[in-house]
Amino acid sequence: MRELLKGIFKGNSVLWVIIAILFSISCILMFSAISSVAHKSANYLDPFYGHVKHLAFGLVILILTSRFPYKYLRKLYLVFLPVVIVILFIMPLIGVELNGGVRAIRIAGFDVQPQEFAKILIIMLLADILSIYQKNESEGKTYFWIILGTVALTCLPIAMQNMSTAVMICMLTFIMMFIGRMERKRLLILLFSGLLAVAVIIGTLLLLPDSINKNLPGHMSSIKGRIENVIEDIQTPDNRKVYTITDENRQPMHAKIAIANGRNPSGPGNSIQRDYLPLAFSDYIFAILIEESGIYGALFVMTLYLIILFIAGSILKKSKKIYPALLSVGFCTMIVMQAYISMCVAVGLGPVTGQPLPLISRGGTSILSTCFMLGVVLSVTNTITQETMAENEVTENETTETNITQNTSENIENEEVM
């Protein structure tokens, strides 16, 4: 049985266990949190079954990708990234509204979010160019501007509908360029340029009158209100805060109530706030987790994501090739970064961003893209294991041959003495 499982689930066994646990947690939480949409269906279990189908499809992607050699994926971004960028720019014309923004296109009845594919392709581009840079550092300036231009072109249309995703891509770009040993001067240019751009955008939005802000493209008009809410919350002393639930703060307020209820966990399936949180099954699933399992459940899930990051670190240490190491670090960092941003929003440590909790929240494209990224990481770990085993066999054979040669020489010497 053990050999059968090893034959099916290729790659790092610890990562497979973490994925299985996250899938299980997702099913348990979703059965509870999906009540806000279940009543709209003829069969109240249909939304839950739909989520399980996405997880099952994600498992298929995981198994197939983990068995597929990652090296054949290396240049895919050259074909697909330009296509995705074009789709992102024309999204306002062909897209459909999803969670308050035009973030998806409808294909055969399914809502597909191109920004999820953009994240994957940008990481592939970064890993490829930075691995080439290691062998040709004299062309660092050219590679730097290629990366900067491509990332900026990709993030511009994404920021119009989902600012947090654009910020995550920019942060990951800086992290991967740092790991890829890009010249420090260029990293500082990138860092200060990014901070300046964020400051200019926030300052401009805060200074714009409401009459103009309402007419901003995409999802930009709601960003100003979120920024103002965060500033007001920081500036207002706790003893003067008025906790009134309105249409604008309904989600964060009910999330806080759910977290407060977590002091006495209600147990799986017994959440109260799931009926009041409009997006309890996606953006605020972590708040439902705390309400039902308390602080220990929250810490457990946080630890699972950290282990994924540690696995990426071990790949970086063990891999003798630069590209797979950077690719694994990029994918794992993106998943963990998204997870912690989602958790911070749920507990009120940041503005509402609309980031789902990877492999736990409901969402077809998000689950499938996360499974693809983890599948590639599993493929890398599987390749590293095979290469290590092959090297050990060669070493053992060389050692055996050496011993045989030495024994033969000793026997000849003994015969000559006799």
Side-chain angles (χ1 to χ4, degrees):
M1 185 65 179
R2 186 176 181 181
E3 295 299 322
L4 177 64
L5 292 176
K6 283 185 176 181
I8 297 174
F9 302 105
K10 298 287 186 178
N12 187 288
S13 57
V14 176
L15 184 54
W16 274 114
V17 171
I18 291 172
I19 292 169
I21 294 172
L22 289 174
F23 272 24
S24 302
I25 292 172
S26 179
C27 291
I28 295 170
L29 284 176
M30 204 55 58
F31 192 83
S32 173
I34 213 160
S35 63
S36 59
V37 294
H39 71 278
K40 299 177 183 178
S41 175
N43 183 349
Y44 70 94
L45 287 177
D46 280 348
F48 174 74
Y49 290 149
H51 178 68
V52 173
K53 288 177 183 177
H54 285 141
L55 292 178
F57 193 18
L59 180 60
V60 172
I61 291 176
L62 275 165
I63 293 173
L64 294 177
T65 312
S66 65
R67 304 173 73 90
F68 190 81
Y70 66 85
K71 61 183 180 181
Y72 296 119
L73 302 172
R74 182 162 185 168
K75 299 297 181 181
L76 284 182
Y77 70 89
L78 292 174
V79 177
F80 292 104
L81 186 56
V83 175
V84 171
I85 291 174
V86 171
I87 292 174
L88 288 170
F89 271 103
I90 63 174
M91 277 291 291
L93 302 176
I94 65 172
V96 294
E97 187 172 330
L98 187 67
N99 295 336
V102 184
R103 303 175 183 175
I105 52 175
R106 188 154 290 166
I107 301 175
F110 296 95
D111 293 337
V112 180
Q113 298 186 56
Q115 65 185 25
E116 294 294 331
F117 300 108
K119 291 191 296 187
I120 294 173
L121 294 168
I122 284 292
I123 293 170
M124 288 181 170
L125 175 140
L126 289 167
D128 187 31
I129 293 180
L130 289 172
S131 61
I132 296 172
Y133 166 73
Q134 307 300 315
K135 302 174 183 178
N136 190 12
E137 294 187 4
S138 60
E139 297 295 327
K141 183 177 180 181
T142 303
Y143 298 140
F144 174 77
W145 288 110
I146 290 174
I147 291 173
L148 199 61
T150 307
V151 171
L153 193 63
T154 306
C155 288
L156 180 61
I158 292 177
M160 296 295 180
Q161 303 298 336
N162 194 335
M163 180 66 74
S164 60
T165 298
V167 171
M168 282 198 309
I169 292 174
C170 292
M171 290 172 61
L172 183 67
T173 300
F174 180 83
I175 292 170
M176 289 189 67
M177 289 174 75
F178 177 79
I179 295 173
R181 296 183 297 181
M182 183 63 72
E183 192 177 344
R184 190 171 299 177
K185 179 178 69 175
R186 295 191 176 98
L187 288 175
L188 290 174
I189 292 173
L190 179 62
L191 178 62
F192 285 116
S193 299
L195 293 175
L196 180 62
V198 171
V200 169
I201 292 171
I202 292 176
T204 303
L205 288 174
L206 292 176
L207 292 174
L208 280 178
D210 292 337
S211 57
I212 298 177
N213 184 65
K214 292 179 181 178
N215 297 320
L216 289 176
H219 205 50
M220 297 293 289
S221 58
S222 65
I223 296 176
K224 179 181 179 180
R226 293 177 180 180
I227 295 171
E228 289 176 339
N229 290 338
V230 172
I231 294 173
E232 183 181 356
D233 187 64
I234 294 173
Q235 293 178 342
T236 306
D238 290 341
N239 58 354
R240 292 187 180 181
K241 290 180 180 179
V242 178
Y243 296 98
T244 303
I245 298 177
T246 64
D247 290 337
E248 294 181 355
N249 68 2
R250 184 175 303 279
Q251 290 195 123
M253 290 300 291
H254 281 293
K256 290 178 180 178
I257 296 172
I259 292 167
N261 291 342
R263 290 177 296 180
N264 297 306
S266 59
N270 295 317
S271 169
I272 298 174
Q273 296 306 310
R274 64 185 178 182
D275 296 325
Y276 302 98
L277 269 167
L279 295 177
F281 50 83
S282 58
D283 298 358
Y284 285 91
I285 191 75
F286 190 65
I288 303 302
L289 170 69
I290 295 176
E291 185 179 18
E292 294 188 352
S293 61
I295 187 65
Y296 296 109
L299 290 174
F300 179 67
V301 170
M302 292 170 69
T303 303
L304 291 177
Y305 288 114
L306 281 179
I307 294 174
I308 294 176
L309 200 59
F310 289 141
I311 291 172
S314 68
I315 293 172
L316 189 62
K317 184 179 179 180
K318 294 177 181 178
S319 179
K320 295 181 179 179
K321 298 177 182 178
I322 301 168
Y323 174 73
L326 288 173
L327 189 65
S328 300
V329 169
F331 283 152
C332 290
T333 303
M334 175 60 79
I335 292 169
V336 176
M337 185 189 304
Q338 179 178 323
Y340 272 81
I341 288 175
S342 177
M343 289 186 283
C344 285
V345 170
V347 299
L349 293 178
V352 179
T353 59
Q355 291 298 330
L357 196 57
L359 297 185
I360 292 182
S361 294
R362 185 189 184 199
T365 311
S366 175
I367 290 173
L368 300 184
S369 63
T370 303
C371 287
F372 176 83
M373 289 190 280
L374 290 174
V376 173
V377 175
L378 288 165
S379 175
V380 171
T381 60
N382 184 41
T383 302
I384 291 174
T385 301
Q386 291 177 350
E387 290 175 350
T388 303
M389 290 174 62
E391 289 177 359
N392 291 338
E393 287 181 3
V394 171
T395 303
E396 288 177 2
N397 291 335
E398 290 177 350
T399 303
T400 303
E401 290 176 0
T402 302
N403 292 335
I404 292 172
T405 303
Q406 289 176 350
N407 292 334
T408 303
S409 300
E410 290 176 359
N411 291 334
I412 292 172
E413 289 177 358
N414 292 332
E415 289 176 1
E416 290 177 350
V417 170
M418 293 176 63

